[in-house]
Amino acid sequence: EPEVTQTPSHQVTQMGQEVILRCVPISNHLYFYWYRQILGQKVEFLVSFYNNEISEKSEIFDDQFSVERPDGSNFTLKIRSTKLEDSAMYFCASSERGRNYGYTFGSGTRLTVV
Amino acid sequence: GENVEQHPSTLSVQEGDSAVIKCTYSDSASNYFPWYKQELGKGPQLIIDIRSNVGEKKDQRIAVTLNKTAKHFSLHITETQPEDSAVYFCAASCENSGYSTLTFGKGTMLLVSP
């Protein structure tokens, strides 16, 4: 079964450092998303991406965040200057509208900011 | 924006019993309601979904009901098994906007005891 692949599985970074979280969505999917889940809390929407541009973003997705699809297969989330409160599990997801509205989530990257 | 409330936060049942998890939503425009199962260390996995043109959907031991008037939907698991133990999330979205950003509930930790 097709999978969404995320790397790394765990990232530890110093406060103020930049991190890039990487995702390979399912190849025929057209919509891409980043969600995050702070430990013990609900899954929260960050950003959706379609046709090489951001289609929607939440208030969490401020100027410190950016997304990119650099080569047609990878989908990245960059946090420019990490804060302690950015520590969370970050999930990438993709979906194919028209036939399957369900998202497929990756296994996540656990980001720990120290 | 959409707000999804989910109850209970934890649910303990004996193997073979039924489990019911309930969610309410606020945006009457929402028309897609998926349920996700999240096992420890993994991303959410879609287990069943329902759209607003039907009131009930069943897939083996899992069923979902939707009451559009009351704006609530429920997940029913019959004949529970220990492997059903996980965190379950309900979600809602409006697919008429061209993309489907999910709003999640806070999750229900289901524990099935042998």
mmCIF file of all heavy atoms in Angstrom, chain B residues 57-109:
data_model
loop_
_atom_site.group_PDB
_atom_site.id
_atom_site.type_symbol
_atom_site.label_atom_id
_atom_site.label_comp_id
_atom_site.label_asym_id
_atom_site.label_seq_id
_atom_site.Cartn_x
_atom_site.Cartn_y
_atom_site.Cartn_z
ATOM 1 N N LYS B 57 -22.740 4.494 8.297
ATOM 2 C CA LYS B 57 -21.858 3.699 7.447
ATOM 3 C C LYS B 57 -21.208 2.634 8.306
ATOM 4 O O LYS B 57 -20.832 2.911 9.448
ATOM 5 C CB LYS B 57 -20.797 4.600 6.816
ATOM 6 C CG LYS B 57 -19.878 3.905 5.826
ATOM 7 C CD LYS B 57 -18.937 4.934 5.207
ATOM 8 C CE LYS B 57 -17.963 4.295 4.253
ATOM 9 N NZ LYS B 57 -17.047 5.310 3.660
ATOM 10 N N LYS B 58 -21.087 1.435 7.756
ATOM 11 C CA LYS B 58 -20.553 0.330 8.547
ATOM 12 C C LYS B 58 -19.469 -0.396 7.769
ATOM 13 O O LYS B 58 -19.551 -0.554 6.547
ATOM 14 C CB LYS B 58 -21.685 -0.639 8.896
ATOM 15 C CG LYS B 58 -21.325 -1.679 9.932
ATOM 16 C CD LYS B 58 -22.541 -2.465 10.380
ATOM 17 C CE LYS B 58 -22.154 -3.476 11.447
ATOM 18 N NZ LYS B 58 -23.316 -4.278 11.910
ATOM 19 N N ASP B 59 -18.439 -0.810 8.496
ATOM 20 C CA ASP B 59 -17.363 -1.587 7.910
ATOM 21 C C ASP B 59 -16.932 -2.619 8.944
ATOM 22 O O ASP B 59 -16.181 -2.332 9.854
ATOM 23 C CB ASP B 59 -16.183 -0.679 7.532
ATOM 24 C CG ASP B 59 -15.056 -1.457 6.868
ATOM 25 O OD1 ASP B 59 -15.212 -2.670 6.616
ATOM 26 O OD2 ASP B 59 -14.009 -0.841 6.589
ATOM 27 N N GLN B 60 -17.469 -3.814 8.803
ATOM 28 C CA GLN B 60 -17.201 -4.924 9.711
ATOM 29 C C GLN B 60 -17.575 -4.526 11.137
ATOM 30 O O GLN B 60 -18.741 -4.284 11.418
ATOM 31 C CB GLN B 60 -15.748 -5.376 9.567
ATOM 32 C CG GLN B 60 -15.437 -5.876 8.159
ATOM 33 C CD GLN B 60 -14.012 -6.368 8.002
ATOM 34 O OE1 GLN B 60 -13.139 -6.172 8.846
ATOM 35 N NE2 GLN B 60 -13.755 -7.039 6.898
ATOM 36 N N ARG B 61 -16.618 -4.444 12.058
ATOM 37 C CA ARG B 61 -16.950 -4.156 13.458
ATOM 38 C C ARG B 61 -17.057 -2.656 13.749
ATOM 39 O O ARG B 61 -17.354 -2.262 14.873
ATOM 40 C CB ARG B 61 -15.872 -4.758 14.372
ATOM 41 C CG ARG B 61 -15.784 -6.274 14.327
ATOM 42 C CD ARG B 61 -14.825 -6.803 15.383
ATOM 43 N NE ARG B 61 -13.440 -6.362 15.148
ATOM 44 C CZ ARG B 61 -12.801 -5.482 15.908
ATOM 45 N NH1 ARG B 61 -13.400 -4.919 16.963
ATOM 46 N NH2 ARG B 61 -11.552 -5.142 15.626
ATOM 47 N N ILE B 62 -16.821 -1.849 12.748
ATOM 48 C CA ILE B 62 -16.798 -0.397 12.951
ATOM 49 C C ILE B 62 -17.975 0.239 12.223
ATOM 50 O O ILE B 62 -18.273 -0.118 11.077
ATOM 51 C CB ILE B 62 -15.477 0.205 12.430
ATOM 52 C CG1 ILE B 62 -14.301 -0.314 13.257
ATOM 53 C CG2 ILE B 62 -15.519 1.719 12.461
ATOM 54 C CD1 ILE B 62 -12.955 0.109 12.699
ATOM 55 N N ALA B 63 -18.637 1.157 12.888
ATOM 56 C CA ALA B 63 -19.724 1.905 12.265
ATOM 57 C C ALA B 63 -19.639 3.358 12.703
ATOM 58 O O ALA B 63 -19.125 3.671 13.785
ATOM 59 C CB ALA B 63 -21.080 1.321 12.658
ATOM 60 N N VAL B 64 -20.105 4.230 11.846
ATOM 61 C CA VAL B 64 -20.175 5.651 12.178
ATOM 62 C C VAL B 64 -21.578 6.144 11.869
ATOM 63 O O VAL B 64 -22.180 5.744 10.868
ATOM 64 C CB VAL B 64 -19.103 6.469 11.420
ATOM 65 C CG1 VAL B 64 -19.230 6.302 9.926
ATOM 66 C CG2 VAL B 64 -19.155 7.928 11.804
ATOM 67 N N THR B 65 -22.125 6.956 12.767
ATOM 68 C CA THR B 65 -23.434 7.563 12.561
ATOM 69 C C THR B 65 -23.284 9.069 12.536
ATOM 70 O O THR B 65 -22.390 9.633 13.180
ATOM 71 C CB THR B 65 -24.416 7.154 13.670
ATOM 72 O OG1 THR B 65 -23.880 7.556 14.940
ATOM 73 C CG2 THR B 65 -24.635 5.650 13.680
ATOM 74 N N LEU B 66 -24.139 9.729 11.791
ATOM 75 C CA LEU B 66 -24.091 11.187 11.640
ATOM 76 C C LEU B 66 -25.491 11.762 11.803
ATOM 77 O O LEU B 66 -26.439 11.303 11.173
ATOM 78 C CB LEU B 66 -23.537 11.554 10.269
ATOM 79 C CG LEU B 66 -23.610 13.019 9.860
ATOM 80 C CD1 LEU B 66 -22.731 13.881 10.777
ATOM 81 C CD2 LEU B 66 -23.197 13.198 8.405
ATOM 82 N N ASN B 67 -25.610 12.754 12.650
ATOM 83 C CA ASN B 67 -26.850 13.501 12.820
ATOM 84 C C ASN B 67 -26.549 14.955 12.442
ATOM 85 O O ASN B 67 -25.987 15.712 13.229
ATOM 86 C CB ASN B 67 -27.340 13.393 14.267
ATOM 87 C CG ASN B 67 -28.672 14.093 14.496
ATOM 88 O OD1 ASN B 67 -28.960 15.124 13.867
ATOM 89 N ND2 ASN B 67 -29.466 13.576 15.383
ATOM 90 N N LYS B 68 -26.904 15.330 11.216
ATOM 91 C CA LYS B 68 -26.585 16.683 10.729
ATOM 92 C C LYS B 68 -27.349 17.761 11.476
ATOM 93 O O LYS B 68 -26.849 18.854 11.686
ATOM 94 C CB LYS B 68 -26.893 16.768 9.233
ATOM 95 C CG LYS B 68 -25.903 16.056 8.350
ATOM 96 C CD LYS B 68 -26.125 16.417 6.894
ATOM 97 C CE LYS B 68 -27.491 15.980 6.425
ATOM 98 N NZ LYS B 68 -27.718 16.309 4.996
ATOM 99 N N THR B 69 -28.571 17.437 11.855
ATOM 100 C CA THR B 69 -29.393 18.431 12.544
ATOM 101 C C THR B 69 -28.760 18.814 13.877
ATOM 102 O O THR B 69 -28.661 19.995 14.226
ATOM 103 C CB THR B 69 -30.811 17.898 12.776
ATOM 104 O OG1 THR B 69 -31.365 17.522 11.511
ATOM 105 C CG2 THR B 69 -31.691 18.942 13.439
ATOM 106 N N ALA B 70 -28.319 17.789 14.608
ATOM 107 C CA ALA B 70 -27.715 18.030 15.912
ATOM 108 C C ALA B 70 -26.225 18.313 15.798
ATOM 109 O O ALA B 70 -25.589 18.663 16.800
ATOM 110 C CB ALA B 70 -27.960 16.822 16.812
ATOM 111 N N LYS B 71 -25.662 18.148 14.631
ATOM 112 C CA LYS B 71 -24.229 18.339 14.385
ATOM 113 C C LYS B 71 -23.389 17.463 15.304
ATOM 114 O O LYS B 71 -22.493 17.949 16.003
ATOM 115 C CB LYS B 71 -23.857 19.817 14.491
ATOM 116 C CG LYS B 71 -24.410 20.635 13.315
ATOM 117 C CD LYS B 71 -23.826 22.039 13.262
ATOM 118 C CE LYS B 71 -24.508 22.919 14.268
ATOM 119 N NZ LYS B 71 -24.267 24.347 14.074
ATOM 120 N N HIS B 72 -23.719 16.178 15.315
ATOM 121 C CA HIS B 72 -22.846 15.262 16.023
ATOM 122 C C HIS B 72 -22.730 13.949 15.258
ATOM 123 O O HIS B 72 -23.588 13.576 14.452
ATOM 124 C CB HIS B 72 -23.247 15.076 17.485
ATOM 125 C CG HIS B 72 -24.549 14.394 17.731
ATOM 126 N ND1 HIS B 72 -24.786 13.052 17.480
ATOM 127 C CD2 HIS B 72 -25.689 14.870 18.285
ATOM 128 C CE1 HIS B 72 -26.013 12.759 17.839
ATOM 129 N NE2 HIS B 72 -26.587 13.828 18.319
ATOM 130 N N PHE B 73 -21.618 13.282 15.479
ATOM 131 C CA PHE B 73 -21.340 12.007 14.836
ATOM 132 C C PHE B 73 -20.598 11.113 15.820
ATOM 133 O O PHE B 73 -19.932 11.609 16.728
ATOM 134 C CB PHE B 73 -20.573 12.182 13.518
ATOM 135 C CG PHE B 73 -19.273 12.926 13.608
ATOM 136 C CD1 PHE B 73 -18.078 12.280 13.362
ATOM 137 C CD2 PHE B 73 -19.238 14.296 13.885
ATOM 138 C CE1 PHE B 73 -16.871 12.963 13.409
ATOM 139 C CE2 PHE B 73 -18.043 14.981 13.943
ATOM 140 C CZ PHE B 73 -16.851 14.308 13.702
ATOM 141 N N SER B 74 -20.772 9.822 15.650
ATOM 142 C CA SER B 74 -20.258 8.869 16.634
ATOM 143 C C SER B 74 -19.586 7.691 15.942
ATOM 144 O O SER B 74 -19.968 7.292 14.848
ATOM 145 C CB SER B 74 -21.401 8.343 17.515
ATOM 146 O OG SER B 74 -22.036 9.389 18.204
ATOM 147 N N LEU B 75 -18.605 7.144 16.627
ATOM 148 C CA LEU B 75 -17.913 5.925 16.188
ATOM 149 C C LEU B 75 -18.330 4.791 17.108
ATOM 150 O O LEU B 75 -18.295 4.941 18.330
ATOM 151 C CB LEU B 75 -16.400 6.122 16.251
ATOM 152 C CG LEU B 75 -15.545 4.908 15.882
ATOM 153 C CD1 LEU B 75 -15.620 4.661 14.376
ATOM 154 C CD2 LEU B 75 -14.087 5.109 16.308
ATOM 155 N N HIS B 76 -18.716 3.688 16.512
ATOM 156 C CA HIS B 76 -19.127 2.517 17.280
ATOM 157 C C HIS B 76 -18.214 1.357 16.903
ATOM 158 O O HIS B 76 -18.093 1.027 15.719
ATOM 159 C CB HIS B 76 -20.574 2.146 16.954
ATOM 160 C CG HIS B 76 -21.556 3.262 17.161
ATOM 161 N ND1 HIS B 76 -22.460 3.279 18.202
ATOM 162 C CD2 HIS B 76 -21.767 4.396 16.457
ATOM 163 C CE1 HIS B 76 -23.191 4.383 18.124
ATOM 164 N NE2 HIS B 76 -22.793 5.085 17.075
ATOM 165 N N ILE B 77 -17.598 0.755 17.904
ATOM 166 C CA ILE B 77 -16.784 -0.432 17.681
ATOM 167 C C ILE B 77 -17.422 -1.573 18.453
ATOM 168 O O ILE B 77 -17.597 -1.485 19.684
ATOM 169 C CB ILE B 77 -15.328 -0.228 18.148
ATOM 170 C CG1 ILE B 77 -14.714 1.013 17.501
ATOM 171 C CG2 ILE B 77 -14.489 -1.476 17.809
ATOM 172 C CD1 ILE B 77 -13.325 1.356 18.028
ATOM 173 N N THR B 78 -17.790 -2.624 17.749
ATOM 174 C CA THR B 78 -18.393 -3.784 18.420
ATOM 175 C C THR B 78 -17.347 -4.882 18.584
ATOM 176 O O THR B 78 -16.320 -4.902 17.891
ATOM 177 C CB THR B 78 -19.586 -4.328 17.617
ATOM 178 O OG1 THR B 78 -19.123 -4.670 16.296
ATOM 179 C CG2 THR B 78 -20.683 -3.279 17.493
ATOM 180 N N GLU B 79 -17.628 -5.769 19.542
ATOM 181 C CA GLU B 79 -16.742 -6.931 19.788
ATOM 182 C C GLU B 79 -15.281 -6.485 19.872
ATOM 183 O O GLU B 79 -14.418 -7.005 19.149
ATOM 184 C CB GLU B 79 -16.936 -7.977 18.693
ATOM 185 C CG GLU B 79 -18.351 -8.498 18.614
ATOM 186 C CD GLU B 79 -18.567 -9.385 17.376
ATOM 187 O OE1 GLU B 79 -17.594 -9.998 16.889
ATOM 188 O OE2 GLU B 79 -19.709 -9.444 16.904
ATOM 189 N N THR B 80 -15.022 -5.553 20.746
ATOM 190 C CA THR B 80 -13.680 -4.980 20.827
ATOM 191 C C THR B 80 -12.629 -6.040 21.130
ATOM 192 O O THR B 80 -12.888 -7.041 21.827
ATOM 193 C CB THR B 80 -13.610 -3.879 21.897
ATOM 194 O OG1 THR B 80 -14.109 -4.397 23.135
ATOM 195 C CG2 THR B 80 -14.413 -2.668 21.475
ATOM 196 N N GLN B 81 -11.435 -5.783 20.592
ATOM 197 C CA GLN B 81 -10.293 -6.678 20.777
ATOM 198 C C GLN B 81 -9.125 -5.858 21.321
ATOM 199 O O GLN B 81 -9.066 -4.638 21.121
ATOM 200 C CB GLN B 81 -9.930 -7.309 19.425
ATOM 201 C CG GLN B 81 -11.061 -8.112 18.812
ATOM 202 C CD GLN B 81 -10.829 -8.462 17.352
ATOM 203 O OE1 GLN B 81 -9.781 -8.157 16.790
ATOM 204 N NE2 GLN B 81 -11.813 -9.104 16.733
ATOM 205 N N PRO B 82 -8.180 -6.495 21.994
ATOM 206 C CA PRO B 82 -7.036 -5.741 22.547
ATOM 207 C C PRO B 82 -6.310 -4.901 21.497
ATOM 208 O O PRO B 82 -5.828 -3.812 21.811
ATOM 209 C CB PRO B 82 -6.145 -6.848 23.117
ATOM 210 C CG PRO B 82 -7.098 -7.938 23.505
ATOM 211 C CD PRO B 82 -8.176 -7.902 22.451
ATOM 212 N N GLU B 83 -6.266 -5.372 20.260
ATOM 213 C CA GLU B 83 -5.584 -4.609 19.207
ATOM 214 C C GLU B 83 -6.350 -3.365 18.780
ATOM 215 O O GLU B 83 -5.831 -2.554 18.004
ATOM 216 C CB GLU B 83 -5.282 -5.488 17.991
ATOM 217 C CG GLU B 83 -6.455 -6.270 17.465
ATOM 218 C CD GLU B 83 -6.527 -7.686 18.026
ATOM 219 O OE1 GLU B 83 -6.205 -7.896 19.224
ATOM 220 O OE2 GLU B 83 -6.931 -8.584 17.277
ATOM 221 N N ASP B 84 -7.558 -3.194 19.291
ATOM 222 C CA ASP B 84 -8.293 -1.948 19.057
ATOM 223 C C ASP B 84 -7.788 -0.828 19.968
ATOM 224 O O ASP B 84 -8.132 0.338 19.779
ATOM 225 C CB ASP B 84 -9.792 -2.137 19.296
ATOM 226 C CG ASP B 84 -10.446 -3.080 18.289
ATOM 227 O OD1 ASP B 84 -9.972 -3.133 17.138
ATOM 228 O OD2 ASP B 84 -11.405 -3.778 18.675
ATOM 229 N N SER B 85 -6.986 -1.186 20.958
ATOM 230 C CA SER B 85 -6.450 -0.188 21.886
ATOM 231 C C SER B 85 -5.584 0.817 21.131
ATOM 232 O O SER B 85 -4.629 0.437 20.448
ATOM 233 C CB SER B 85 -5.626 -0.856 22.995
ATOM 234 O OG SER B 85 -6.434 -1.710 23.785
ATOM 235 N N ALA B 86 -5.937 2.088 21.224
ATOM 236 C CA ALA B 86 -5.244 3.154 20.497
ATOM 237 C C ALA B 86 -5.922 4.466 20.866
ATOM 238 O O ALA B 86 -6.879 4.496 21.635
ATOM 239 C CB ALA B 86 -5.335 2.937 18.984
ATOM 240 N N VAL B 87 -5.412 5.556 20.289
ATOM 241 C CA VAL B 87 -6.107 6.842 20.400
ATOM 242 C C VAL B 87 -6.911 7.046 19.123
ATOM 243 O O VAL B 87 -6.393 6.865 18.018
ATOM 244 C CB VAL B 87 -5.117 7.998 20.601
ATOM 245 C CG1 VAL B 87 -5.867 9.322 20.679
ATOM 246 C CG2 VAL B 87 -4.309 7.776 21.872
ATOM 247 N N TYR B 88 -8.163 7.387 19.283
ATOM 248 C CA TYR B 88 -9.054 7.610 18.151
ATOM 249 C C TYR B 88 -9.384 9.100 18.053
ATOM 250 O O TYR B 88 -9.745 9.733 19.037
ATOM 251 C CB TYR B 88 -10.338 6.792 18.306
ATOM 252 C CG TYR B 88 -10.093 5.311 18.160
ATOM 253 C CD1 TYR B 88 -9.595 4.560 19.217
ATOM 254 C CD2 TYR B 88 -10.342 4.666 16.947
ATOM 255 C CE1 TYR B 88 -9.343 3.212 19.079
ATOM 256 C CE2 TYR B 88 -10.102 3.303 16.805
ATOM 257 C CZ TYR B 88 -9.593 2.586 17.886
ATOM 258 O OH TYR B 88 -9.342 1.242 17.738
ATOM 259 N N PHE B 89 -9.257 9.622 16.842
ATOM 260 C CA PHE B 89 -9.561 11.026 16.596
ATOM 261 C C PHE B 89 -10.715 11.138 15.606
ATOM 262 O O PHE B 89 -10.705 10.477 14.555
ATOM 263 C CB PHE B 89 -8.370 11.761 15.983
ATOM 264 C CG PHE B 89 -7.208 11.951 16.917
ATOM 265 C CD1 PHE B 89 -6.153 11.056 16.925
ATOM 266 C CD2 PHE B 89 -7.168 13.040 17.775
ATOM 267 C CE1 PHE B 89 -5.073 11.232 17.779
ATOM 268 C CE2 PHE B 89 -6.091 13.224 18.627
ATOM 269 C CZ PHE B 89 -5.045 12.324 18.633
ATOM 270 N N CYS B 90 -11.673 11.987 15.925
ATOM 271 C CA CYS B 90 -12.654 12.366 14.930
ATOM 272 C C CYS B 90 -12.183 13.659 14.272
ATOM 273 O O CYS B 90 -11.335 14.374 14.814
ATOM 274 C CB CYS B 90 -14.032 12.556 15.555
ATOM 275 S SG CYS B 90 -14.140 13.893 16.772
ATOM 276 N N ALA B 91 -12.721 13.950 13.119
ATOM 277 C CA ALA B 91 -12.349 15.173 12.412
ATOM 278 C C ALA B 91 -13.500 15.606 11.527
ATOM 279 O O ALA B 91 -14.406 14.820 11.220
ATOM 280 C CB ALA B 91 -11.080 14.964 11.587
ATOM 281 N N ALA B 92 -13.456 16.858 11.124
ATOM 282 C CA ALA B 92 -14.490 17.396 10.243
ATOM 283 C C ALA B 92 -13.853 18.340 9.242
ATOM 284 O O ALA B 92 -12.848 18.987 9.544
ATOM 285 C CB ALA B 92 -15.554 18.144 11.058
ATOM 286 N N SER B 93 -14.443 18.396 8.062
ATOM 287 C CA SER B 93 -13.969 19.350 7.068
ATOM 288 C C SER B 93 -15.097 19.678 6.099
ATOM 289 O O SER B 93 -16.102 18.972 6.028
ATOM 290 C CB SER B 93 -12.764 18.813 6.304
ATOM 291 O OG SER B 93 -13.170 17.830 5.371
ATOM 292 N N CYS B 94 -14.901 20.764 5.366
ATOM 293 C CA CYS B 94 -15.842 21.162 4.327
ATOM 294 C C CYS B 94 -15.128 21.003 2.998
ATOM 295 O O CYS B 94 -14.148 21.706 2.728
ATOM 296 C CB CYS B 94 -16.296 22.605 4.518
ATOM 297 S SG CYS B 94 -17.377 23.170 3.198
ATOM 298 N N GLU B 95 -15.601 20.103 2.170
ATOM 299 C CA GLU B 95 -14.889 19.790 0.931
ATOM 300 C C GLU B 95 -15.338 20.650 -0.241
ATOM 301 O O GLU B 95 -14.853 20.505 -1.339
ATOM 302 C CB GLU B 95 -15.083 18.317 0.597
ATOM 303 C CG GLU B 95 -14.390 17.425 1.602
ATOM 304 C CD GLU B 95 -14.530 15.972 1.258
ATOM 305 O OE1 GLU B 95 -15.648 15.554 0.938
ATOM 306 O OE2 GLU B 95 -13.511 15.268 1.302
ATOM 307 N N ASN B 96 -16.260 21.558 -0.002
ATOM 308 C CA ASN B 96 -16.741 22.378 -1.109
ATOM 309 C C ASN B 96 -15.766 23.481 -1.470
ATOM 310 O O ASN B 96 -15.937 24.169 -2.461
ATOM 311 C CB ASN B 96 -18.103 22.984 -0.762
ATOM 312 C CG ASN B 96 -19.145 21.911 -0.556
ATOM 313 O OD1 ASN B 96 -19.040 20.819 -1.086
ATOM 314 N ND2 ASN B 96 -20.163 22.238 0.232
ATOM 315 N N SER B 97 -14.772 23.678 -0.634
ATOM 316 C CA SER B 97 -13.863 24.800 -0.850
ATOM 317 C C SER B 97 -12.713 24.442 -1.785
ATOM 318 O O SER B 97 -11.884 25.276 -2.065
ATOM 319 C CB SER B 97 -13.294 25.263 0.486
ATOM 320 O OG SER B 97 -12.611 24.213 1.121
ATOM 321 N N GLY B 98 -12.676 23.225 -2.280
ATOM 322 C CA GLY B 98 -11.606 22.870 -3.209
ATOM 323 C C GLY B 98 -10.479 22.110 -2.549
ATOM 324 O O GLY B 98 -9.671 21.503 -3.229
ATOM 325 N N TYR B 99 -10.383 22.181 -1.276
ATOM 326 C CA TYR B 99 -9.421 21.374 -0.543
ATOM 327 C C TYR B 99 -10.040 21.082 0.807
ATOM 328 O O TYR B 99 -11.031 21.692 1.192
ATOM 329 C CB TYR B 99 -8.078 22.094 -0.382
ATOM 330 C CG TYR B 99 -8.198 23.534 0.009
ATOM 331 C CD1 TYR B 99 -8.339 23.902 1.346
ATOM 332 C CD2 TYR B 99 -8.201 24.526 -0.937
ATOM 333 C CE1 TYR B 99 -8.471 25.222 1.710
ATOM 334 C CE2 TYR B 99 -8.328 25.852 -0.581
ATOM 335 C CZ TYR B 99 -8.464 26.203 0.735
ATOM 336 O OH TYR B 99 -8.599 27.508 1.084
ATOM 337 N N SER B 100 -9.513 20.122 1.490
ATOM 338 C CA SER B 100 -10.189 19.665 2.702
ATOM 339 C C SER B 100 -9.245 19.719 3.880
ATOM 340 O O SER B 100 -8.518 18.778 4.146
ATOM 341 C CB SER B 100 -10.750 18.265 2.505
ATOM 342 O OG SER B 100 -9.773 17.390 1.989
ATOM 343 N N THR B 101 -9.250 20.826 4.579
ATOM 344 C CA THR B 101 -8.459 20.960 5.795
ATOM 345 C C THR B 101 -9.239 20.366 6.951
ATOM 346 O O THR B 101 -10.375 20.764 7.202
ATOM 347 C CB THR B 101 -8.170 22.445 6.069
ATOM 348 O OG1 THR B 101 -7.446 22.971 4.970
ATOM 349 C CG2 THR B 101 -7.367 22.595 7.338
ATOM 350 N N LEU B 102 -8.644 19.434 7.619
ATOM 351 C CA LEU B 102 -9.303 18.738 8.710
ATOM 352 C C LEU B 102 -9.152 19.476 10.028
ATOM 353 O O LEU B 102 -8.077 19.976 10.337
ATOM 354 C CB LEU B 102 -8.726 17.339 8.880
ATOM 355 C CG LEU B 102 -8.982 16.337 7.764
ATOM 356 C CD1 LEU B 102 -8.206 15.055 8.034
ATOM 357 C CD2 LEU B 102 -10.458 16.040 7.624
ATOM 358 N N THR B 103 -10.234 19.542 10.776
ATOM 359 C CA THR B 103 -10.193 19.991 12.163
ATOM 360 C C THR B 103 -10.426 18.762 13.024
ATOM 361 O O THR B 103 -11.451 18.081 12.883
ATOM 362 C CB THR B 103 -11.263 21.052 12.449
ATOM 363 O OG1 THR B 103 -11.045 22.174 11.591
ATOM 364 C CG2 THR B 103 -11.177 21.515 13.893
ATOM 365 N N PHE B 104 -9.480 18.489 13.912
ATOM 366 C CA PHE B 104 -9.531 17.277 14.723
ATOM 367 C C PHE B 104 -10.133 17.538 16.093
ATOM 368 O O PHE B 104 -10.026 18.634 16.642
ATOM 369 C CB PHE B 104 -8.118 16.732 14.925
ATOM 370 C CG PHE B 104 -7.547 16.012 13.742
ATOM 371 C CD1 PHE B 104 -6.959 16.720 12.708
ATOM 372 C CD2 PHE B 104 -7.590 14.633 13.666
ATOM 373 C CE1 PHE B 104 -6.422 16.053 11.609
ATOM 374 C CE2 PHE B 104 -7.056 13.957 12.581
ATOM 375 C CZ PHE B 104 -6.475 14.674 11.551
ATOM 376 N N GLY B 105 -10.737 16.489 16.638
ATOM 377 C CA GLY B 105 -11.067 16.493 18.049
ATOM 378 C C GLY B 105 -9.828 16.195 18.864
ATOM 379 O O GLY B 105 -8.749 15.932 18.320
ATOM 380 N N LYS B 106 -9.964 16.231 20.198
ATOM 381 C CA LYS B 106 -8.813 16.062 21.077
ATOM 382 C C LYS B 106 -8.383 14.613 21.244
ATOM 383 O O LYS B 106 -7.343 14.336 21.840
ATOM 384 C CB LYS B 106 -9.101 16.674 22.444
ATOM 385 C CG LYS B 106 -9.109 18.195 22.431
ATOM 386 C CD LYS B 106 -9.197 18.770 23.828
ATOM 387 C CE LYS B 106 -9.086 20.288 23.781
ATOM 388 N NZ LYS B 106 -9.157 20.895 25.125
ATOM 389 N N GLY B 107 -9.189 13.688 20.763
ATOM 390 C CA GLY B 107 -8.799 12.288 20.819
ATOM 391 C C GLY B 107 -9.402 11.544 21.994
ATOM 392 O O GLY B 107 -9.714 12.140 23.042
ATOM 393 N N THR B 108 -9.599 10.253 21.800
ATOM 394 C CA THR B 108 -10.073 9.357 22.851
ATOM 395 C C THR B 108 -9.106 8.191 22.947
ATOM 396 O O THR B 108 -8.861 7.503 21.954
ATOM 397 C CB THR B 108 -11.477 8.819 22.537
ATOM 398 O OG1 THR B 108 -12.406 9.890 22.514
ATOM 399 C CG2 THR B 108 -11.911 7.775 23.567
ATOM 400 N N MET B 109 -8.546 8.000 24.141
ATOM 401 C CA MET B 109 -7.684 6.842 24.340
ATOM 402 C C MET B 109 -8.555 5.654 24.720
ATOM 403 O O MET B 109 -9.180 5.643 25.784
ATOM 404 C CB MET B 109 -6.651 7.108 25.433
ATOM 405 C CG MET B 109 -5.746 5.917 25.681
ATOM 406 S SD MET B 109 -4.432 6.270 26.835
ATOM 407 C CE MET B 109 -3.416 7.352 25.869
#
